[in-house]
């Protein structure tokens, strides 16, 4: 696993989603190719990317900065939670009574909640949490997530083994 990856999940995910629907930043084939290069290696030099996509190093630097500024992508270090002391991961389905947005904001503010998405279906929110152990997991779900005003029910899906994790979905 590379230590740096480009994730198209951004702090403002609606930006990248709208680009597919014509409402946000337009991504041409060169920008998509740059993203693909960075997804393979987030530390790839701009000169090498430029050679692969047919642009100068300066032009690549400018494009990358624009993609970052628009919230289309982030360049982040991705760790394996097990190697840094977090032995328990789970996806928690949350059903909400009332305003889903306020519950999503409250859960997003929790350090253990690394991914929060509003969904259509049997759950209003899906929340990925990373914890140190089972006691920590229980504390987060029982004492913190369920204590958020508007949380009606939760259902936890504890991860047993990670089979696939990819960051290439942003350019397909």
């Amino acid at each position: 696993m590379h230590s740096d990856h480009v994730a198209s999940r951004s702090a403002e995910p609606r930006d990248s989603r709208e680009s597919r629907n014509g409402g946000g930043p337009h991504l041409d084939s060169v920008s998509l190719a740059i993203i693909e290069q960075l997804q393979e290696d987030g530390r790839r030099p701009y000169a090498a990317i430029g050679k692969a996509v047919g642009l100068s190093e300066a032009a690549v630097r400018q494009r990358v900065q624009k993609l970052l500024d628009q919230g289309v992508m982030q360049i982040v270090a991705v760790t394996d939670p097990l190697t840094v002391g977090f032995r328990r991961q789970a996806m928690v389905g949350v059903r909400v009574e009332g305003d889903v947005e306020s519950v999503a904001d409250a859960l997003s503010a929790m350090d253990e909640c690394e991914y929060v998405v509003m969904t259509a279906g049997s759950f209003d929110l899906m929340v990925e949490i990373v914890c140190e152990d089972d006691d920590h997991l229980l504390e987060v779900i029982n004492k913190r997530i369920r204590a958020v005003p508007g949380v009606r029910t939760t259902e936890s899906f504890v991860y047993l083994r990670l089979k696939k994790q990819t960051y290439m979905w942003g350019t397909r």
Side-chain angles (χ1 to χ4, degrees):
M1 177 186 289
H2 293 290
S3 62
D4 294 318
H5 290 277
V6 174
S8 62
R9 276 195 290 202
S10 68
E12 297 290 331
R14 66 182 164 274
D15 290 345
S16 56
R17 198 170 51 241
E18 286 174 1
S19 67
R20 297 252 180 226
N21 298 329
H26 173 70
L27 299 180
D28 62 14
S29 60
V30 175
S31 291
L32 292 173
I34 290 170
I35 292 170
E36 286 175 355
Q37 289 285 312
L38 288 167
Q39 285 177 320
E40 289 175 14
D41 181 357
R43 295 178 298 179
R44 183 164 288 159
Y46 291 144
I49 296 170
K51 194 173 285 187
V53 302
L55 290 179
S56 69
E57 180 179 350
V60 170
R61 181 178 287 106
Q62 184 179 24
R63 289 263 192 145
V64 168
Q65 191 57 54
K66 185 176 179 184
L67 292 167
L68 295 169
D69 292 345
Q70 291 175 329
V72 171
M73 69 175 187
Q74 295 176 340
I75 299 175
V76 297
V78 178
T79 59
D80 177 350
L82 286 174
T83 64
V84 291
F86 295 95
R87 295 185 304 276
R88 183 58 70 212
Q89 288 181 272
M91 184 66 72
V92 180
V94 181
R95 290 185 183 92
V96 174
E97 205 166 67
D99 182 22
V100 176
E101 191 88 42
S102 65
V103 174
D105 290 343
L107 298 179
S108 296
M110 294 181 190
D111 289 340
E112 292 88 353
C113 299
E114 68 169 27
Y115 182 65
V116 178
V117 63
M118 298 167 74
T119 62
S122 59
F123 297 105
D124 299 302
L125 299 167
M126 294 297 291
V127 181
E128 187 174 47
I129 59 176
V130 178
C131 296
E132 295 167 14
D133 52 30
D134 286 336
D135 289 337
H136 187 198
L137 177 66
L138 180 61
E139 187 266 329
V140 169
I141 294 170
N142 196 42
K143 301 257 195 280
R144 296 185 47 216
I145 292 176
R146 290 183 180 163
V148 171
V151 170
R152 188 169 42 119
T153 63
T154 64
E155 185 172 344
S156 303
F157 304 89
V158 175
Y159 297 1
L160 298 177
R161 180 182 300 142
L162 179 65
K163 292 295 283 186
K164 180 179 181 181
Q165 182 170 331
T166 182
Y167 295 93
M168 300 304 286
W169 73 101
T171 59
R172 281 186 285 164

